[in-house]
Amino acid sequence: MLTVEHLNVWFGHPPARVDAVKDAGFTVAPGESFGLVGESGSGKSTILRAIAGLIDTWSGRIEVAGQPVAARRRDRAFYKTVQMVFQDPYASLHPRHSVDAVLSEALRLQGMDDIDRRIARLLDDVGLGRGFRFRYPHQLSGGQRQRVAIARALAAEPRLLLLDEPTSALDVSVQAEILNLLSDLRAEHGLTYVMVSHDLAVVGHMCDRLAVMQQGRIVEVMTVEDLRRGAARQDYTRQLIAASAGYQRA
Amino acid sequence: MTLLSVRNLRVTFPTRQGTFEAVRGVSFDLGRERLGVVGESGSGKSMTGRSILGLVRPPGLVTADRMQLEGQSILNLPERKMRKIRGRRISMVMQDPKFSLNPVMSIGDQIVEAYRLHAGGARAAARQKALDMLAAVQIRDPERVMQAYPHEVSGGMGQRIMIAMMLAPDPEILIADEPTSALDVSVRTEVLNIMDRLVRDRGMGLIFISHDLNLVAQFCDRVLIMYAGRIVETLAARDLHQARHPYTRGLLNSLPRLDAPQDRLPVLQRQDSWRDGDPIAESLETEFPGGL
Ligand SMILES: Nc1ncnc2c1ncn2[C@@H]1O[C@H](COP(=O)(O)OP(=O)(O)OP(=O)(O)O)[C@@H](O)[C@H]1O
Ligand SMILES: Nc1ncnc2c1ncn2[C@@H]1O[C@H](COP(=O)(O)OP(=O)(O)OP(=O)(O)O)[C@@H](O)[C@H]1O
Ligand SMILES: [Mg+2]
Ligand SMILES: [Mg+2]
């Protein structure tokens, strides 16, 4: 479903150029769920944004459903296949658009009919009552906003969903609801996920395989079984697994 | 010693469906300690924090029987007076740091400004302090990040920048709203160590809002558990995993575990009785003699 080869992503020009992703490569099979974990600032979001066509300055090869993607602008058909849920639920919702406006715009953009019924269904799917339909982002808590963002991505009925820390703004119970929802959608519609998370337990629950990133590079690709057994090949991965066991006061 | 004392805090909003009570009678005392606040999404955690700093925007309405900072009332102070408290005596790391940073000002300028507002002094000294703060929160290349704008940094970097900025003026109380939710575990440990030292060495009071129950159990001293705008249970943090309230148990059970995979995660079966029940205050007095 997704192939990434020799991906480099940079920002700015020398000498201020930032090489955010260096020679990254991985493949994700149809229906698979693939995790991206690693250091803060290591380029995880940047990889997702490059796949989603939100960054122009990259080189290498990205294939979605067997088709190489265009270097710059992506067409509407692309966004029918690929949708992204952003790390930042506050910044990703327009402050003056109500939940209803956000969802109906997403549905119309994909040429959907029966908007009214679909909105009600989407809100149900992400566990927001009908009462939220006419609220504005500033009237929602962090977790409620993230659910609207997920509903918006689902509106297009995509096949590949790029999830950037989809539950890190959510409390654990809503996280469980959203993760169950994502599992159901994957089972029902054969969706493919690429999911960034710093929570190894969430990655372990959701994913089949994962890539570990540090300083712009993928240092290791491993299966979730390996993750559970603590069978890491790289020091950095071992460190990450050890640290996820919990916080100890110095 | 009590830094902050809150009794019967209420925050209400007028909505289409009538008045909505986001916070319904919250009471607690904060000493020189790490006080965790957990609870599901929408339970009023952020609103509790914002109301302390006078950041609930109209038409939201904040009332309380008491809201005192070291004995002085700070409830609904005029903005002019609140500004003297905010950022200097009480700081808040917002749940969405990148949204709270000024998008058209470089990160360096923002930290320098925050610092000088409090400590004054020369720009060069403030700049050095800002660089040190960024390095302390494990930013790899502080020089570059000083010149970057908020949209040019990653989610976790934004979170750390906000923490650096809020700690620069050396506040007596820090309200940290999900301050580490976007950090990888190794960076997170370093950032927690900084807050921990401030509590231990300088006697700062920390309100640590988080949905990470395991982390709160390990990092905090006490935990308030919120549901639908109320505190349903207060526990010593180390006893969190032995919580008895079905809501707290439900939250604990819904965590995925690396060592115990399961197909579906249990979700909360919310009960109406959790919304009300007995006022918690009396039971707190007996469980925490000498202060809530
Ligand atoms: N628009 C931009 N301009 C300049 N640099 C950028 C830009 N966007 C990202 N970067 C830089 O690229 C690097 C990777 O950022 P990215 O957001 O991909 O990290 P991440 O792995 O998602 O981190 P986190 O876990 O903290 O969200 C960072 O050093 C960041 O400062
Ligand atoms: N301006 C507003 N008008 C109406 N309701 C509001 C407004 N702002 C917030 N609320 C509601 O107040 C409740 C409490 O919000 P708050 O932001 O404190 O939740 P929270 O516990 O921090 O949740 P999260 O974990 O998702 O951040 C939510 O149900 C939210 O929808
Ligand atoms: Mg990111
Ligand atoms: Mg909140």
Side-chain angles (χ1 to χ4, degrees):
Chain A
M1 187 69 207
L2 173 69
T3 305
V4 174
E5 281 171 356
H6 302 298
L7 178 67
N8 293 293
V9 188
W10 60 92
F11 298 103
H13 303 282
R17 172 166 146 160
V18 179
D19 290 294
V21 177
K22 300 169 207 158
D23 197 28
F26 59 92
T27 58
V28 185
E32 196 188 67
S33 177
F34 187 83
L36 268 183
V37 307
E39 205 180 35
S40 170
S42 63
K44 304 180 297 292
S45 299
T46 302
I47 288 187
L48 294 195
R49 292 167 57 88
I51 297 169
L54 300 172
I55 301 177
D56 287 346
T57 48
W58 59 275
S59 66
R61 191 176 171 79
I62 302 175
E63 261 182 30
V64 172
Q67 298 292 315
V69 302
R72 301 194 196 296
R73 308 225 110 243
R74 308 281 162 84
D75 53 13
R76 198 205 268 183
F78 176 82
Y79 291 108
K80 180 95 186 110
T81 313
V82 181
Q83 283 283 322
M84 175 156 172
V85 175
F86 295 90
Q87 183 166 5
D88 202 331
Y90 288 75
S92 69
L93 294 179
H94 192 294
R96 286 197 225 298
H97 291 180
S98 68
V99 173
D100 181 74
V102 166
L103 296 181
S104 42
E105 188 195 313
L107 288 163
R108 276 201 199 92
L109 220 64
Q110 294 301 335
M112 303 273 188
D113 51 11
D114 212 358
I115 304 272
D116 208 54
R117 194 185 49 83
R118 281 181 199 269
I119 290 181
R121 171 77 199 277
L122 283 168
L123 288 176
D124 271 355
D125 278 350
V126 296
L128 285 177
R130 308 288 157 88
F132 286 91
R133 181 160 173 180
F134 295 99
R135 289 216 195 170
Y136 288 85
H138 74 272
Q139 298 171 319
L140 303 172
S141 77
Q144 290 161 348
R145 286 178 212 219
Q146 188 64 322
R147 285 188 265 180
V148 174
I150 292 173
R152 178 179 58 188
L154 293 175
E157 300 181 352
R159 288 163 60 202
L160 173 61
L161 202 53
L162 308 172
L163 300 154
D164 196 354
E165 306 266 15
T167 59
S168 71
L170 304 181
D171 73 87
V172 290
S173 172
V174 177
Q175 167 171 284
E177 285 165 23
I178 298 276
L179 296 182
N180 286 342
L181 165 72
L182 290 171
S183 302
D184 292 347
L185 290 166
R186 181 154 83 110
E188 278 168 39
H189 305 286
L191 292 184
T192 307
Y193 297 147
V194 179
M195 180 177 206
V196 173
S197 175
H198 63 273
D199 187 333
L200 296 185
V202 167
V203 170
H205 178 71
M206 289 299 290
C207 299
D208 310 305
R209 290 185 306 136
L210 61 141
V212 181
M213 291 193 71
Q214 188 187 22
Q215 293 191 58
R217 294 187 191 276
I218 292 183
V219 295
E220 179 159 9
V221 176
M222 68 199 303
T223 63
V224 160
E225 288 82 74
D226 283 346
L227 174 69
R228 286 192 206 290
R229 285 190 291 120
R233 289 189 305 275
Q234 297 293 324
D235 280 346
Y236 178 67
T237 314
R238 273 192 283 273
Q239 216 181 303
L240 211 59
I241 295 174
S244 76
Y247 176 80
Q248 253 135 31
R249 268 191 214 160
Chain B
M1 203 201 103
T2 303
L3 290 172
L4 182 74
S5 181
V6 175
R7 290 294 178 279
N8 196 22
L9 172 67
R10 290 174 186 273
V11 182
T12 52
F13 292 96
T15 69
R16 288 189 184 204
Q17 287 88 20
T19 304
F20 176 76
E21 290 187 291
V23 179
R24 303 183 300 136
V26 160
S27 301
F28 65 92
D29 284 344
L30 174 73
R32 303 189 185 281
E33 60 175 331
R34 309 156 198 81
L35 178 65
V37 181
V38 303
E40 64 172 355
S41 178
S43 59
K45 305 181 296 295
S46 298
M47 276 305 153
T48 300
R50 296 179 70 93
S51 63
I52 293 167
L53 278 172
L55 290 173
V56 175
R57 275 183 244 125
L61 197 71
V62 180
T63 64
D65 294 347
R66 182 201 301 166
M67 189 189 288
Q68 289 178 343
L69 173 63
E70 291 182 287
Q72 286 187 321
S73 178
I74 54 166
L75 180 66
N76 295 324
L77 284 184
E79 180 60 22
R80 184 174 47 82
K81 290 201 171 144
M82 204 63 219
R83 233 180 269 140
K84 292 217 170 82
I85 292 175
R86 208 183 289 142
R88 301 181 193 203
R89 301 188 59 195
I90 311 179
S91 272
M92 181 161 177
V93 175
M94 297 290 174
Q95 189 166 5
D96 192 343
K98 278 169 89 175
F99 191 71
S100 329
L101 290 168
N102 183 343
V104 296
M105 194 169 167
S106 78
I107 282 158
D109 285 348
Q110 297 189 51
I111 306 182
V112 166
E113 188 171 282
Y115 180 69
R116 289 182 74 205
L117 196 71
H118 171 74
R123 257 196 91 75
R127 210 187 109 78
Q128 189 53 49
K129 171 92 179 167
L131 280 171
D132 294 345
M133 294 296 294
L134 288 178
V137 292
Q138 307 291 305
I139 298 277
R140 273 185 184 274
D141 34 11
E143 292 279 356
R144 165 174 79 90
V145 170
M146 286 282 278
Q147 283 165 40
Y149 287 84
H151 74 277
E152 296 175 331
V153 300
S154 78
M157 287 159 78
Q159 229 165 23
R160 286 177 279 159
I161 288 160
M162 190 77 187
I163 291 170
M165 215 162 110
M166 290 302 127
L167 290 179
D170 219 348
E172 291 157 59
I173 295 175
L174 178 69
I175 303 173
D177 197 352
E178 304 277 8
T180 60
S181 64
L183 301 182
D184 66 275
V185 277
S186 46
V187 167
R188 184 182 80 183
T189 303
E190 295 304 323
V191 169
L192 293 174
N193 285 342
I194 296 176
M195 293 193 221
D196 188 48
R197 277 197 296 273
L198 290 172
V199 174
R200 251 186 352 202
D201 304 344
R202 286 219 320 263
M204 185 178 81
L206 175 66
I207 298 181
F208 189 84
I209 301 174
S210 174
H211 62 261
D212 189 334
L213 296 153
N214 290 323
L215 178 62
V216 166
Q218 288 159 336
F219 177 69
C220 294
D221 302 302
R222 288 191 302 143
V223 200
L224 310 179
I225 292 135
M226 289 191 68
Y227 180 76
R230 293 164 46 90
I231 296 173
V232 296
E233 189 170 26
T234 307
L235 293 164
R238 62 177 175 280
D239 299 332
L240 182 58
H241 287 278
Q242 281 79 51
R244 284 190 310 265
H245 196 286
Y247 169 62
T248 317
R249 291 244 53 92
L251 290 177
L252 287 164
N253 290 336
S254 57
L255 286 168
R257 285 174 53 171
L258 208 47
D259 57 347
Q262 49 195 151
D263 278 349
R264 288 189 81 73
L265 298 167
V267 299
L268 276 183
Q269 307 299 323
R270 295 175 183 75
Q271 261 140 55
D272 273 347
S273 61
W274 299 348
R275 284 184 62 83
D276 299 300
D278 297 330
I280 198 86
E282 299 92 80
S283 74
L284 285 181
E285 306 275 353
T286 51
E287 274 181 54
F288 294 98
L292 294 187

